[in-house]
Amino acid sequence: MARLFGTDGVRGLANVDITAELALRLSVAAAHVLGDEARRHGRRPKAVVGRDPRASGEFLSAAVIAGLASAGVDVYLANVLPTPAVAFLTADTHADFGVMLSASHNAMPDNGIKFFATGGHKLDDSVEDEIAARLDQEWERPTGPDVGRVVTMPDGHTRYISHLLAVLPNRLDGLTIVIDGAHGAASLVSPEVFRLAGATVHEIGTEPDGFNINDGYGSTHLEHLRAAVVARGADLGIAHDGDADRCLAVDADGNDVDGDQIMAILAVAMKSRGTLAQDTLVATVMSNLGLIQAMRREGITVRQTGVGDRYVLEEMRAAGLSLGGEQSGHVIFLDHGTTGDGVLTGLMLAARMASTGTSLAELASVMTRLPQVLVNVKGVDRSRVESDEELQSAVKVEQEELAGTGRVLLRKSGTEPVVRVMVEAADETVAKAVADRLVDVVKARLSL
């Protein structure tokens, strides 16, 4: 049976895959699993619930709230706020768990439900599986004064903003910034906090209407941000995704600055302030080799994990590290939050520019992105990637030929029926030639 939870909660087409009925059953099951500790201590469980501005979030959040309250959980409504804000409020209010309704960077018709444990941390796989297993179990319904109450959190917005401002190392006076909110959850919060921090702010993609989230704006569509930065003569542009757990940037000339470059800038900044734990950055295997090389020059160790911010977070928590993230723009500051926070990432990036008086382009030059070629090979048996000796031998030969000037990554996709061939090299022609040769081997060895 397919697992209900994916890498980031339960996600799919709203009102088809993610229905009101599923949201109700899922929230009841979560109330029993995640509220159990409170009940053992004689307390009523408490949950924070937030969402992004998708139209479907209105009826889905109503179903979640109904399910939680009917199971005896007191619900605190954060309403439309970024995912990291809901995680923060879960911890800050000492709630037993949090719920966020969002499909992140996906198109508007999708939606999703994700849960945070006490402290605002993502759930372990085992806890998610326990929730899924209890979807259809019989349960005793509370009555009278034992049903949950539902209240609005009027200060959720300001509590999150106050938190962001409190951890900012310096003000942003003198900077002109364009914020692209993806018509999503950060449309109000992000421009406001940047202005409060001292920046001059111009906005695009900050007029959500329930239907336009991620539609041509945000971290997956940077073209409007590039144009706005240049037209406004801004120092930088910041792009979020629908739930604002990501941040990508654009420099004053309209050039993209990706998650790897942002992590490089922030790692150097934190090391200089003495706040980079163990002088170590956590990244995934998809991060550009240029990041690894740059960090080595700066005396910073890079630990690499599997693809997914949850694996980055697991490594950070296990090793007591303070900074990690992904090329896609998920950046985690474990001293200040429990999940990727696109607003905080943008603030920290701007703070480095303000404190050093240095342009984003110059800061980003700390690393040189090696040309990267990625090919998704379809119609092959991805289950045999690791076991096929001839294929693995071909990968080894190509890696040895690159002799430290590039790298090869061959992996099966966890979400699609494809094998991903990724090659980096100092020269794009070389990278493409290596990738083409390996694609031929993959097709020959793993054909169905």
Side-chain angles (χ1 to χ4, degrees):
M1 182 180 293
R3 190 169 182 268
L4 177 64
F5 285 84
T7 56
D8 200 23
V10 181
R11 191 179 297 184
L13 182 60
N15 220 24
V16 174
D17 304 312
I18 310 298
T19 62
E21 293 85 353
L22 175 62
L24 184 71
R25 292 163 54 218
L26 194 59
S27 59
V28 168
H32 292 146
V33 173
L34 301 175
D36 192 48
E37 183 71 16
R39 294 188 190 92
R40 282 201 298 267
H41 288 85
R43 294 187 293 104
R44 289 163 65 96
K46 171 181 174 180
V48 175
V49 178
R51 65 179 180 89
D52 71 23
R54 290 164 210 267
S56 60
E58 296 169 1
F59 77 80
L60 288 172
S61 63
V64 166
I65 293 161
L68 294 177
S70 71
V73 176
D74 287 338
V75 179
Y76 289 74
L77 297 182
N79 293 315
V80 176
L81 275 179
T83 288
V86 173
F88 165 74
L89 291 170
T90 300
D92 195 51
T93 61
H94 306 289
D96 297 284
F97 60 100
V99 189
M100 179 67 185
L101 292 102
S102 176
S104 189
H105 60 281
N106 287 28
M108 175 267 168
D110 288 349
N111 215 323
I113 306 170
K114 71 176 86 175
F115 296 94
F116 294 103
T118 182
H121 295 283
K122 288 190 174 183
L123 304 185
D124 293 336
D125 288 352
S126 60
V127 178
E128 291 180 338
D129 290 341
E130 186 179 355
I131 292 171
R134 297 187 66 164
L135 271 182
D136 297 310
Q137 284 188 1
E138 291 293 325
W139 55 289
E140 185 177 345
R141 297 172 182 271
T143 58
D146 294 327
V147 299
R149 302 300 302 274
V150 181
V151 298
T152 299
M153 290 183 67
D155 62 343
H157 173 94
T158 54
R159 285 172 81 151
Y160 176 57
I161 286 179
S162 296
H163 159 67
L164 294 173
L165 292 173
V167 302
L168 196 61
N170 54 268
R171 288 182 56 80
L172 310 182
D173 300 277
L175 289 182
T176 299
I177 302 172
V178 179
I179 303 291
D180 181 349
H183 295 305
S187 294
L188 179 62
V189 169
S190 190
E192 182 176 349
V193 73
F194 274 88
R195 287 191 179 102
L196 289 171
T200 298
V201 176
H202 301 286
E203 303 177 34
I204 63 172
T206 57
E207 299 178 359
D209 61 10
F211 304 104
N212 59 0
I213 188 169
N214 299 318
D215 186 7
Y217 287 83
S219 59
T220 54
H221 304 280
L222 294 177
E223 55 272 18
H224 291 298
L225 182 60
R226 297 184 195 110
V229 167
V230 174
R232 296 281 188 173
D235 297 295
L236 78 156
I238 296 294
H240 303 302
D241 60 338
D243 70 336
D245 63 354
R246 294 188 190 191
C247 169
L248 293 180
V250 169
D251 69 21
D253 296 320
N255 300 308
D256 297 353
V257 177
D258 70 11
D260 284 341
Q261 293 168 296
I262 290 171
M263 286 191 291
I265 294 167
L266 296 175
V268 171
M270 290 175 66
K271 185 187 178 194
S272 71
R273 295 198 304 268
T275 58
L276 185 66
Q278 302 174 45
D279 288 342
T280 298
L281 168 68
V282 181
T284 76
V285 292
M286 290 301 290
S287 277
N288 195 278
L289 181 60
L291 174 64
I292 315 299
Q293 294 171 340
M295 295 298 92
R296 187 180 300 127
R297 291 192 299 269
E298 296 292 332
I300 296 171
T301 300
V302 179
R303 294 194 184 196
Q304 289 185 276
T305 72
V307 178
D309 63 325
R310 67 183 303 155
Y311 303 113
V312 172
L313 181 58
E314 285 173 6
E315 179 68 19
M316 293 174 69
R317 293 180 67 184
L321 302 174
S322 54
L323 181 66
E326 296 187 285
Q327 190 180 67
S328 60
H330 285 115
V331 179
I332 303 168
F333 300 87
L334 199 53
D335 291 340
H336 309 306
T338 57
T339 188
D341 190 329
V343 182
L344 180 57
T345 301
L347 286 167
M348 290 295 193
L349 186 63
R352 182 60 171 174
M353 293 175 62
S355 68
T356 61
T358 307
S359 71
L360 181 56
E362 186 174 346
L363 289 174
S365 69
V366 68
M367 72 165 276
T368 301
R369 283 186 290 193
L370 270 66
Q372 188 179 82
V373 175
L374 176 64
V375 182
N376 294 322
V377 187
K378 301 178 180 179
V380 294
D381 183 2
R382 59 178 173 166
S383 68
R384 293 191 283 120
V385 168
E386 292 90 355
S387 60
D388 190 276
E389 293 183 3
E390 189 169 325
L391 176 58
Q392 291 300 320
S393 177
V395 170
K396 183 179 179 181
V397 168
E398 296 290 0
Q399 186 67 68
E400 289 174 349
E401 283 291 320
L402 290 171
T405 63
R407 68 179 179 125
V408 173
L409 179 64
L410 193 72
R411 68 181 188 92
K412 59 185 178 184
S413 169
T415 57
E416 300 176 72
V418 300
V419 171
R420 304 197 196 282
V421 178
M422 193 271 283
V423 180
E424 292 172 342
D427 182 88
E428 187 168 6
T429 303
V430 172
K432 188 175 186 310
V434 173
D436 287 344
R437 289 196 293 270
L438 286 175
V439 167
D440 288 342
V441 178
V442 169
K443 290 178 177 178
R445 298 297 304 170
L446 304 184
S447 59
L448 295 172

